[in-house]
Amino acid sequence: MTGLEIGLFSVGVIILLIYSGMHVGIALSVVSFLSVALQKDSLTLAMKLLTLAAADGIADQTFAVIPLFVLMGLIMSASDVGRDAYDVGDYFLRPIRGGLGLATVGSNAVFAAVTGVSIASAAVFTRVAVPEMLRLGYSPRFAVGTVAGSSVLGMLIPPSILLIIYAILTEQSIGMMFFAGIGPGILLSSVYCLGIIGMAYFMPWFVYDRTGRFSDQAAIAQHDPRDEHSLGGILIKFLPLMGLVIIVLGGIYGGIFTPTEAGAVGAICALLLAVVRKKMSLKSFWKVLLETGHITASICFLIIAATMYSRSLALAGVPMEIGGLVRTATDQFLLVVLIYVLIVLVLGTIIDSVSIILIMVPLFLPVMQGFDADPIWFGILTVIAVEVGLLTPPLGIACFVIKGCLDDPRITLGDVFLGAIPFALMMIFVLGLITAWPHLVYVNQWI
């Protein structure tokens, strides 16, 4: 078999194994091990490759950033930070048409800047935002769709776990990846807000509940957000959030902390904030530590498997063959980007975000570098394309999380997916923007 055939066959086998129920890391490891063993006709060489991948894959101290940011995110999630962020956005934006949708997007953007985990955002705001939106007359599909769409900001606005994984996998600077995620994160949030306002004016049947089955008409007539919160109370809720964002991200970009040190400082500050607000007991803290360990072990195992997979592909000459094939077929860079994005979007409907990055980036990064593409720009493009998969069936993890967290049985999984469609389309629009104008991401032009 040629290198290209090996690459295509390995991707097919990996997807088949994942679909059959095998863990992603095990599927990557098994395929990589068998690929090397068959190519070199040596189980010993394959075993050595596995050993080196396990030793080298996560040996660098940079990997300490993963558990630290995961710990910070979980502590903040357990401390009702999402509810505080929503109260702040709700106070200022509710008077605008579609204002609760805008408040959800803005709150999720702030929450993303202190957690970096999309699934946490989806779970928190399903419980916080959806009941309030339904009570005040918004349609269920719009309510759950807004939460689903805005939850993906957690994987783009730093600190993002996906950006960390991509940076480690491609040997890029984590700080530079974080810096590159700010502009696109703000852009995507802005597009969401404009889209919500547009839908409120031109598609009111989608935004508002005309049946009255979900809303509390008396609350709609009498409710005034200023009766619930004073400006001083809102500032008290807002300042700790912004303080943590400034400490973590400002420390990184100001050269005070390395990303790993920023993760440690952020985790300590988050813990202090939770303790001061009496939101963290010893029992809940132990639960957070256990969950941090489980998530970190899972991510590190995936990275080890991806390291082995990348080396097996390199051994077969897959990146060079794909690059040669692409350059032979077309010299149009935009066409290559379009092909890559389409493949990622299709994969996003069947496998999870981390798996797509671990499978596709080793295949296409050398091709993109052959066109002198900035790997940091490629990383942002990849993360946005991958995150569309969180909103699309049949996998759509964010949609499943939202459905699982809903207390209202009248809202179906189909409603969640239908509500998320406009936001998935807006993400694809943003993909087009950063492809047409790469300077929206290019780090060198922002420094």
Side-chain angles (χ1 to χ4, degrees), residues 67 70-71 74 287-299:
V70 170
L71 177 61
L74 292 177
K287 183 178 179 181
V288 165
L289 289 177
L290 286 177
E291 191 172 355
T292 300
H294 292 157
I295 294 174
T296 303
S298 176
I299 292 174

Side-chain angles (χ1 to χ4, degrees), residues 166-206:
Y166 176 87
I168 292 172
L169 185 64
T170 58
E171 299 182 351
Q172 300 299 315
S173 164
I174 294 175
M176 297 295 265
M177 287 303 304
F178 281 178
F179 197 49
I182 295 177
I186 294 174
L187 175 62
L188 182 57
S189 301
S190 302
V191 169
Y192 277 168
C193 290
L194 292 174
I196 288 171
I197 294 173
M199 287 189 289
Y201 279 96
F202 301 108
M203 298 171 58
W205 50 268
F206 180 77

Side-chain angles (χ1 to χ4, degrees), residues 149-358:
S150 57
S151 69
V152 304
L153 295 171
M155 286 303 183
L156 185 59
I157 297 177
S160 160
I161 299 300
L162 275 190
L163 291 180
I164 292 172
I165 291 174
Y166 176 87
I168 292 172
L169 185 64
T170 58
E171 299 182 351
Q172 300 299 315
S173 164
I174 294 175
M176 297 295 265
M177 287 303 304
F178 281 178
F179 197 49
I182 295 177
I186 294 174
L187 175 62
L188 182 57
S189 301
S190 302
V191 169
Y192 277 168
C193 290
L194 292 174
I196 288 171
I197 294 173
M199 287 189 289
Y201 279 96
F202 301 108
M203 298 171 58
W205 50 268
F206 180 77
V207 176
Y208 299 105
D209 178 24
R210 300 298 178 86
T211 66
R213 292 186 302 126
F214 294 86
S215 60
D216 183 340
Q217 298 298 327
I220 295 173
Q222 300 175 5
H223 184 82
D224 185 345
R226 289 169 293 185
D227 295 337
E228 297 181 3
H229 304 291
S230 66
L231 181 59
I234 288 296
L235 290 177
I236 291 174
K237 288 175 179 280
F238 186 63
L239 290 178
L241 295 177
M242 289 309 300
L244 188 59
V245 172
I246 292 171
I247 289 172
V248 174
L249 300 184
I252 293 174
Y253 306 140
I256 301 172
F257 309 134
T258 65
T260 304
E261 293 167 345
V265 172
I268 292 173
C269 291
L271 181 59
L272 290 175
L273 179 62
V275 171
V276 169
R277 298 174 63 180
K278 299 181 180 179
K279 297 291 186 179
M280 183 67 64
S281 64
L282 285 176
K283 183 178 180 180
S284 58
F285 182 57
W286 177 247
K287 183 178 179 181
V288 165
L289 289 177
L290 286 177
E291 191 172 355
T292 300
H294 292 157
I295 294 174
T296 303
S298 176
I299 292 174
C300 288
F301 178 58
L302 285 171
I303 293 174
I304 289 172
T307 301
M308 187 178 182
Y309 181 60
S310 300
R311 293 180 180 182
S312 70
L313 292 177
L315 189 64
V318 175
M320 290 185 293
E321 288 207 21
I322 291 180
L325 178 65
V326 169
R327 283 188 288 271
T328 301
T330 178
D331 57 356
Q332 298 296 315
F333 175 65
L334 290 180
L335 181 58
V336 176
V337 172
L338 177 62
I339 293 171
Y340 173 73
V341 168
L342 288 175
I343 293 173
V344 172
L345 291 178
V346 171
L347 287 178
T349 65
I350 55 176
I351 57 178
D352 65 277
S353 304
V354 174
S355 303
I356 297 172
I357 288 180
L358 298 181

Side-chain angles (χ1 to χ4, degrees), residues 36-184:
V36 174
L38 292 174
Q39 287 179 60
K40 300 301 180 180
D41 194 23
S42 172
L43 290 175
T44 302
L45 182 60
M47 187 64 70
K48 288 182 178 179
L49 178 67
L50 177 62
T51 304
L52 288 173
D56 299 341
I58 57 172
D60 196 284
Q61 64 176 2
T62 305
F63 282 86
V65 75
I66 295 175
L68 292 171
F69 275 112
V70 170
L71 177 61
M72 182 182 72
L74 292 177
I75 291 175
M76 297 304 288
S77 179
S79 303
D80 287 341
V81 171
R83 182 177 296 276
D84 287 350
Y86 185 74
D87 287 343
V88 173
D90 180 23
Y91 183 84
F92 291 106
L93 297 173
R94 183 176 292 178
I96 304 173
R97 181 174 289 192
L100 282 188
L102 301 179
T104 302
V105 171
S107 305
N108 245 326
V110 175
F111 191 66
V114 292
T115 61
V117 183
S118 291
I119 302 306
S121 298
V124 168
F125 283 91
T126 298
R127 298 186 181 97
V128 171
V130 172
E132 185 73 357
M133 295 176 75
L134 295 179
R135 187 174 68 88
L136 294 175
Y138 288 83
S139 73
R141 287 181 179 175
F142 175 76
V144 294
T146 303
V147 172
S150 57
S151 69
V152 304
L153 295 171
M155 286 303 183
L156 185 59
I157 297 177
S160 160
I161 299 300
L162 275 190
L163 291 180
I164 292 172
I165 291 174
Y166 176 87
I168 292 172
L169 185 64
T170 58
E171 299 182 351
Q172 300 299 315
S173 164
I174 294 175
M176 297 295 265
M177 287 303 304
F178 281 178
F179 197 49
I182 295 177

